[in-house]
Amino acid sequence: DYPNSAEAVQAVSTARLIYVDMGRTDEYAAWVKNLDFVEVTDADLDNTTFESAEKQYQANNTAAAVTALEKYLNSFPNGIHSVQANFYLGQLYFRE
């Protein structure tokens, strides 16, 4: 009912954290693109997608990390974090 309120913006920010933790950044991107009161750039989506993949990597969830990093690199082949993502992915492939 009050999309321009501070609470609405905070709710979107909190939802982002939840989507990142769940590894569902595609759903987050689709959702926020439909919100008129929030401006989300490609850089924001790049950071969000990488953050989600990196969390899986740091938690040693190998299969989930490989999937998330490959998804990141497919979505953002020249992204802000592409070098780091390729490095993580290389380390995971080497372990396998």
Side-chain angles (χ1 to χ4, degrees), residues 7-46:
E7 290 83 3
V9 174
Q10 180 62 38
V12 172
S13 178
T14 302
R16 177 193 175 276
L17 296 175
I18 294 167
Y19 277 107
V20 165
D21 286 344
M22 294 174 55
R24 296 166 56 181
T25 55
D26 290 341
E27 292 176 38
Y28 168 76
W31 175 63
V32 294
K33 285 182 179 180
N34 291 322
L35 298 177
D36 296 336
F37 63 94
V38 177
E39 182 68 32
V40 178
T41 65
D42 286 341
D44 294 332
L45 295 177
D46 181 315

Side-chain angles (χ1 to χ4, degrees), residues 9 28 43 45 53 68 75 82 87 89 91:
V9 174
Y28 168 76
L45 295 177
S75 298
S82 62
F87 176 75
L89 199 53
Q91 284 189 318

